[in-house]
């Protein structure tokens, strides 16, 4: 930590994209430090000018913190369940075809991704699809073409998965996005495809652990996590900075 950096910065994790940032791991902060963090974000470039700034407030914090955030321009938009799992290499038998951006165009992938977000039980994103594509490219760097994977059954696209190693880590596997198009949900495909995504994280991306999450409202995805051996790590209230 340099002499100008705030002590609480070392305790949190900031996931930074093109025009968004998400603040995670607030559970190690004190109430005073969390309030200092809010002031820091409001006064520091580039955070105060981002169109999408989220803070995940751990469930251990009192409602006093919620009121402070709301008084400083944040809205409570969701509750987010975070899960984790130790990964081991395994071979998953399946009949799906996976195509990354070395095999299909970004336009085709973006179309499938957009369709996969329709009717989602997660809180909607403020980003447009071009902004989503730009963000994943910036966050993941040159490897984003390996990570952006469309899922096909026969010739028909049915969803997307975006497995990757979390930037700044060596072996933390995450899914930037995972979802099926509306017509393919509730057919038992989510569990096998999520298991396949975890297998890819371990065997192709060399991840040793998986950190995932979804809205507390997304019961089907939570059931998928639990069915595939994930354990709930914590629950956070999601606060989003109001648009300027």
């Amino acid at each position: 930590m340099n002499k100008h950096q705030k002590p609480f910065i070392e305790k949190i994790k900031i996931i930074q994209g093109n025009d968004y940032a998400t603040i995670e791991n607030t559970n190690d902060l004190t109430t005073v430090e969390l309030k200092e963090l809010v002031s820091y974000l409001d006064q520091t470039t580039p955070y105060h000018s981002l169109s999408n700034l989220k803070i995940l407030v751990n469930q251990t914090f009192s409602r006093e913190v919620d009121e402070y955030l709301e008084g400083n321009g944040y809205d409570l938009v969701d509750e987010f369940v975070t899960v984790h799992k130790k990964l081991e290499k395994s071979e998953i038998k399946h009949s799906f075809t996976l195509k990354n951006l070395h095999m299909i165009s970004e336009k085709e992938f973006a179309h499938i991704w957009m369709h996969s977000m329709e009717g989602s039980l997660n809180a909607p994103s403020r980003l447009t699809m071009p902004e989503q594509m730009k963000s994943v490219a910036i966050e993941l760097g040159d490897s984003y073409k390996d990570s952006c994977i469309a899922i096909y059954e026969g010739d028909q696209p049915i969803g997307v998965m975006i497995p990757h190693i979390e930037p700044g880590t060596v072996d933390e596997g995450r899914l930037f996005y995972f979802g099926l198009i509306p017509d393919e949900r509730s057919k038992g495909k989510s569990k096998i495809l999520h298991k396949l995504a975890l297998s890819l994280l371990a065997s192709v991306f060399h991840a040793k652990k998986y950190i995932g999450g979804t809205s507390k409202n997304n019961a089907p995805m939570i059931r998928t996590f639990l069915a595939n051996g994930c354990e709930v790590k914590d629950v956070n209230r999601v606060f989003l900075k109001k648009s300027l």
Side-chain angles (χ1 to χ4, degrees), residues 102-113:
H102 298 291
M103 305 167 72
I104 60 173
S105 69
E106 289 197 18
K107 182 179 179 180
E108 181 175 355
F109 177 81
H111 176 74
I112 303 168
W113 187 3

Side-chain angles (χ1 to χ4, degrees), residues 222-238:
I222 293 173
R223 287 195 295 270
T224 292
F225 286 144
L226 298 178
N228 287 336
C230 300
E231 297 179 356
V232 175
K233 183 179 180 183
D234 53 36
V235 180
N236 293 276
R237 299 188 290 277
V238 182

Side-chain angles (χ1 to χ4, degrees), residues 39-240:
S39 296
Y40 171 81
L41 294 171
D42 193 47
Q43 298 168 12
T44 306
T45 303
Y47 304 114
H48 65 79
S49 60
L50 293 174
S51 65
N52 196 324
L53 176 61
K54 291 180 183 177
I55 302 179
L56 273 56
V57 176
N58 194 267
Q59 62 184 343
T60 56
F61 282 102
S62 71
R63 294 295 172 177
E64 172 196 348
V65 167
D66 296 8
E67 293 170 3
Y68 183 82
L69 281 158
E70 288 165 353
N72 282 272
Y74 287 81
D75 286 325
L76 175 61
V77 296
D78 199 5
E79 285 191 81
F80 195 78
V81 178
T82 301
V83 301
H84 67 131
K85 177 184 170 81
K86 182 179 178 181
L87 296 179
E88 296 179 355
K89 293 181 180 180
S90 61
E91 190 170 329
I92 307 298
K93 293 183 179 180
H94 65 93
S95 58
F96 302 101
T97 300
L98 307 181
K99 298 181 181 181
N100 62 27
L101 291 183
H102 298 291
M103 305 167 72
I104 60 173
S105 69
E106 289 197 18
K107 182 179 179 180
E108 181 175 355
F109 177 81
H111 176 74
I112 303 168
W113 187 3
M114 184 168 61
H115 196 14
S116 299
M117 290 194 291
E118 292 175 5
S120 172
L121 295 174
N122 292 324
S125 173
R126 284 185 178 180
L127 302 180
T128 65
M129 184 47 61
E131 289 171 337
Q132 293 271 25
M133 289 300 302
K134 189 172 183 180
S135 289
V136 73
I138 289 173
E139 183 174 333
L140 303 186
D142 293 340
S143 66
Y144 86 100
K145 289 190 174 183
D146 301 314
S147 291
C148 290
I149 299 171
I151 308 163
Y152 295 79
E153 190 168 32
D155 295 329
Q156 297 300 312
I158 66 168
V160 299
M161 61 174 72
I162 310 182
H164 66 95
I165 295 296
E166 181 64 17
T169 75
V170 175
D171 59 8
E172 181 184 304
R174 293 206 182 199
L175 296 176
F176 191 97
Y177 191 85
F178 172 85
L180 301 179
I181 66 175
D183 288 346
E184 298 301 327
R185 297 170 191 162
S186 302
K187 294 182 178 180
K189 297 176 183 179
S190 178
K191 290 185 180 71
I192 184 64
L193 286 167
H194 182 257
K195 185 181 288 187
L196 178 58
L198 298 186
S199 175
L200 289 176
L201 281 172
S203 60
V204 177
F205 294 85
H206 308 295
K208 303 294 185 188
K209 58 185 176 182
Y210 167 63
I211 302 292
T214 193
S215 170
K216 193 175 180 180
N217 297 320
N218 195 344
M221 194 64 220
I222 293 173
R223 287 195 295 270
T224 292
F225 286 144
L226 298 178
N228 287 336
C230 300
E231 297 179 356
V232 175
K233 183 179 180 183
D234 53 36
V235 180
N236 293 276
R237 299 188 290 277
V238 182
F239 284 86
L240 180 65

